[in-house]
Amino acid sequence: MKISLYFILSLFFFLIYPLKVKSIKFSSYLSEQESYEINSKFNNNVIELNSNYIITKISWIKRENYKYNYLLGVFEGANDPNFKDAIPIGIIKEKENESLDLINYLNIKTNSSYKYIRYIPPNKNNSDISPIKVFGYKSPERKKYSKEKTYFQATNLPLITIYTENSTEIFEKSIEINCRILIVNKGKIETNETAKIKVKDETRAYLSPKFPYSINFSSSQKILGFEGKYRNWELISNYFDRSLLRNSIASKISELMKFDYTVRCKPVDVIINGGFKGNYHICDSIEVGHNRINNNEGYLLEIDAEYYNGKKHFKSDKGIYAKILYPNENSITPEQEKYIIEKFNKIEKEAYELNLNSIDLNTYSKQFLLKEFCGDLAHLYNHFYITNNANNEKFFFGPIWEFETAFDNDKILIPTNEKPNFCFDYYSSSGTMKDLTTKLIRNKDIIEYIQNEWIYLCDTVLNESVLIDFIEEQRIYLKESAELNFLKWDNFVEEYDPYGFNWGTRDYLFGRKGENFKVSVDVVKDYIRKRFESLSNVINNAISLAN
């Protein structure tokens, strides 16, 4: 009879090792001194060590009929038996050995010590990861480690780990969930604070299984070197952007164009309740304040077709839908709300009459050109920001926000550079915003101002080589995170329509079928190389139609 090596190894783990076992609640194997049997069923089961150890390696033998089911599983360490101080210590990044009789190893790259370890599977179904060994040393014995503690990151990017109260799933826009948030950067914990979290308040949040989130810290936090401390931050999911860098490019262009304020964003990896969620951007929340929008004496509006999603909102006399972001809904008085709506209607009326004193042409042209250069189909649909203060009677425009589906990534526009008109012309707007914009750019003075601004930008700060170099830097920086992200989200082209939006036969909304990280980055680079000429042609065409 032929006996497999796998059978012999299994016999060794389950028959010979127990002879040396010291019985405890769960199991562990540390150094060469002691070994403990592990519970073969893991539904958040805890490996309890007999002391605090620096863990260096975890191993297990591949189980029959469990092919690749461990990929992206996360190991956590803690010193509290209820894991109130849990923190990730490792993630399974590679597919297991094909052979059933080979051992799989996960190196643990942290020199912090833990008494408890648990394994979180990559899905909600139980996965058998036994038999398992944990290698390590008691803290005082590991002299080669520096005294300064280091912590795990999934890739070279900062890691944001979120633990919700009672491991509650984050699924609602209107209900904030209590949570603890840890941010590890360069091996150090930069943030470890309580907060509230919810799904970001926009319709598109539910068009993918990878939700964007809004975070409200219990106290103001300085995040990843951004200037200023704030409580409110956003996590943008990048689900529809397989290059993972479109938001970063838009922010870079905003900086080059010298917007009064550019929304700051950085790519990060995210783990929620032990589950790896992939690559995100952590960004400023759009709000008034120092190092954000400097408009304390005025108001901030968002032109938004989805105006009904929270916030104070109104429909203007001419039919534009808007939300009042500042003063916020908790502090605005009825008198302030009435004043803002009346002033908006007054300036809107003057803009329709082409009174050029009603809009600030400098900020209007910058926002218009950036959105058009980036190929933002929803240019006038949402994320269109307007400010005004008590000292003037005109609209100011900006900042820009969220370009996940721009840069030739929306099926309606692809190929963007072959379209003869401005991008906003191919999609709906917030109420009558499209009518007003068409009226404005048909005005000869306005479109010539926009053309002159475009020529100036191209001659000075906005050029192909700068942007291509930036994209290449980001491609290298994001490569490791992208590999993990698309192990998690490899089903991009599959239709996801849990709320019955009836997208019809379209099996994908954004991007191109079969597009991967490398191809998507190349798409963005090719788009930018062609966009300078194509946008110039569109502007020239608009000049010919102006009166």
Side-chain angles (χ1 to χ4, degrees):
M1 180 185 296
K2 185 177 180 180
I3 300 176
S4 72
L5 182 57
Y6 170 73
F7 178 78
I8 295 171
L9 285 171
S10 297
L11 223 58
F12 179 73
F13 267 86
F14 292 109
L15 296 179
I16 298 175
Y17 263 30
L19 296 178
K20 299 192 294 178
V21 165
K22 176 181 176 181
S23 179
I24 59 172
K25 183 178 180 182
F26 296 103
S27 60
S28 67
Y29 177 84
L30 290 156
S31 186
E32 298 296 333
Q33 304 167 25
E34 299 178 354
S35 64
Y36 301 112
E37 191 178 24
I38 193 166
N39 192 327
S40 61
K41 189 176 181 181
F42 74 87
N43 186 21
N44 285 341
N45 283 348
V46 175
I47 307 167
E48 182 178 348
L49 314 179
N50 62 350
S51 182
N52 288 64
Y53 289 86
I54 295 171
I55 309 303
T56 58
K57 183 167 59 176
I58 297 173
S59 70
W60 66 97
I61 295 178
K62 182 178 174 59
R63 301 285 290 190
E64 193 171 2
N65 299 325
Y66 281 92
K67 187 176 182 181
Y68 300 159
N69 67 318
Y70 309 138
L71 193 62
L72 299 183
V74 173
F75 288 94
E76 295 178 332
N79 290 306
D80 180 277
N82 296 313
F83 278 73
K84 292 180 180 179
D85 60 346
I87 188 169
I89 62 172
I91 185 170
I92 301 174
K93 297 183 180 182
E94 298 177 356
K95 294 181 179 180
E96 301 166 290
N97 294 315
E98 290 288 346
S99 301
L100 294 175
D101 53 1
L102 293 180
I103 297 174
N104 295 276
Y105 289 96
L106 177 65
N107 291 319
I108 305 300
K109 299 178 180 179
T110 170
N111 67 2
S112 300
S113 61
Y114 305 99
K115 187 174 182 180
Y116 303 94
I117 298 171
R118 69 181 175 188
Y119 172 69
I120 309 295
N123 53 59
K124 293 181 180 179
N125 299 323
N126 286 349
S127 295
D128 192 344
I129 195 170
S130 63
I132 192 171
K133 290 183 182 181
V134 180
F135 298 83
Y137 300 82
K138 286 187 177 181
S139 301
E141 298 173 0
R142 193 54 166 162
K143 300 193 186 236
K144 81 172 188 177
Y145 285 110
S146 65
K147 293 181 180 180
E148 191 174 11
K149 292 183 178 180
T150 58
Y151 296 89
F152 167 77
Q153 288 172 235
T155 71
N156 58 304
L157 300 190
L159 174 64
I160 296 181
T161 303
I162 301 167
Y163 292 101
T164 62
E165 192 173 54
N166 301 319
S167 297
T168 304
E169 186 176 0
I170 310 165
F171 196 71
E172 300 291 340
K173 297 178 183 178
S174 57
I175 300 176
E176 291 185 321
I177 298 172
N178 294 326
C179 65
R180 177 170 65 96
I181 297 179
L182 296 101
I183 301 179
V184 176
N185 186 29
K186 298 178 181 178
K188 312 301 177 190
I189 294 178
E190 291 192 359
T191 303
N192 184 2
E193 297 291 340
T194 58
K196 294 182 183 295
I197 189 169
K198 65 175 184 175
V199 175
K200 193 173 182 298
D201 197 6
E202 62 180 25
T203 298
R204 200 173 71 199
Y206 289 147
L207 293 185
S208 81
K210 187 184 181 188
F211 296 155
Y213 301 104
S214 295
I215 295 170
N216 180 9
F217 281 103
S218 301
S219 60
S220 296
Q221 300 296 314
K222 185 179 179 69
I223 301 295
L224 296 176
F226 291 145
E227 291 185 14
K229 291 184 176 182
Y230 285 93
R231 294 179 61 180
N232 297 316
W233 300 85
E234 309 289 341
L235 280 172
I236 307 303
S237 69
N238 298 325
Y239 182 77
F240 295 112
D241 175 15
R242 293 183 78 79
S243 76
L244 305 177
L245 48 68
R246 284 175 165 90
N247 279 308
S248 293
I249 301 169
S251 290
K252 177 67 174 180
I253 295 170
S254 175
E255 289 177 359
L256 292 171
M257 292 175 66
K258 294 181 171 55
F259 273 62
D260 291 338
Y261 162 65
T262 294
V263 175
R264 298 162 299 180
C265 64
K266 287 187 178 180
V268 295
D269 296 313
V270 173
I271 292 176
I272 299 179
N273 294 329
F276 180 72
K277 299 300 180 183
N279 179 281
Y280 278 72
H281 270 83
I282 187 165
C283 304
D284 288 335
S285 183
I286 301 293
E287 61 182 347
V288 170
H290 183 60
N291 292 317
R292 289 192 172 173
I293 299 172
N294 186 15
N295 192 39
N296 290 321
E297 296 180 355
Y299 60 79
L300 169 65
L301 303 177
E302 179 184 0
I303 304 303
D304 186 1
E306 301 166 7
Y307 63 94
Y308 44 82
N309 284 334
K311 312 295 183 185
K312 289 286 185 178
H313 57 265
F314 63 91
K315 180 180 179 181
S316 72
D317 288 345
K318 298 291 187 180
I320 294 174
Y321 298 107
K323 294 192 295 193
I324 302 173
L325 303 185
Y326 183 83
N328 65 46
E329 56 191 329
N330 297 321
S331 63
I332 192 171
T333 65
E335 292 76 20
Q336 287 175 318
E337 183 178 1
K338 182 173 181 291
Y339 168 81
I340 290 170
I341 294 172
E342 288 178 349
K343 193 167 186 181
F344 183 92
N345 285 329
K346 178 178 180 294
I347 299 176
E348 176 193 55
K349 180 176 180 294
E350 293 173 355
Y352 262 94
E353 294 170 352
L354 298 177
N355 179 350
L356 299 190
N357 292 323
S358 62
I359 63 174
D360 178 69
L361 284 178
N362 178 44
T363 55
Y364 180 78
S365 63
K366 280 183 178 179
Q367 178 166 272
F368 183 89
L369 285 169
L370 187 146
K371 283 175 169 282
E372 288 295 330
F373 179 79
C374 296
D376 182 13
L377 179 68
H379 181 153
L380 306 175
Y381 185 81
N382 59 4
H383 304 317
F384 189 103
Y385 299 99
I386 293 176
T387 58
N388 178 262
N389 61 55
N391 300 322
N392 61 62
E393 295 294 325
K394 64 173 63 176
F395 289 144
F396 291 80
F397 301 86
I400 55 94
W401 167 262
E402 201 167 356
F403 286 77
E404 186 178 346
T405 60
F407 298 96
D408 221 24
N409 197 37
D410 195 297
K411 187 174 182 181
I412 296 174
L413 269 182
I414 294 172
T416 310
N417 285 318
E418 294 182 14
K419 296 292 187 290
N421 301 330
F422 289 116
C423 296
F424 79 82
D425 206 31
Y426 297 93
Y427 196 59
S428 59
S429 68
S430 176
T432 58
M433 189 65 184
K434 188 173 180 179
D435 296 335
L436 175 58
T437 303
T438 301
K439 190 175 183 66
L440 291 173
I441 65 167
R442 290 289 175 88
N443 177 272
K444 188 175 182 180
D445 292 333
I446 293 176
I447 193 61
E448 286 183 349
Y449 189 100
I450 290 173
Q451 183 184 50
N452 291 333
E453 180 70 15
W454 173 242
I455 293 171
Y456 169 78
L457 290 170
C458 292
D459 287 344
T460 55
V461 297
L462 202 60
N463 63 75
E464 177 185 317
S465 62
V466 170
L467 295 179
I468 298 300
D469 288 347
F470 176 78
I471 292 170
E472 188 59 22
E473 290 171 4
Q474 289 294 301
R475 182 191 67 78
I476 296 170
Y477 182 56
L478 291 168
K479 183 177 184 295
E480 188 179 352
S481 180
E483 289 173 355
L484 272 194
N485 183 79
F486 295 119
L487 286 177
K488 172 71 176 179
W489 305 109
D490 62 349
N491 60 340
F492 173 73
V493 299
E494 295 179 9
E495 187 168 347
Y496 183 81
D497 189 18
Y499 289 87
F501 286 106
N502 296 320
W503 291 106
T505 58
R506 294 189 292 175
D507 58 356
Y508 60 107
L509 299 173
F510 307 105
R512 294 156 183 78
K513 199 168 185 176
E515 197 172 285
N516 59 26
F517 173 68
K518 181 182 182 303
V519 171
S520 188
V521 172
D522 289 342
V523 165
V524 175
K525 291 164 73 172
D526 184 62
Y527 169 83
I528 284 177
R529 290 188 181 102
K530 296 175 180 177
R531 189 56 179 161
F532 287 92
E533 181 180 357
S534 67
L535 182 55
S536 295
N537 292 336
V538 172
I539 293 173
N540 290 336
N541 182 53
I543 290 282
S544 68
L545 298 174
N547 48 52

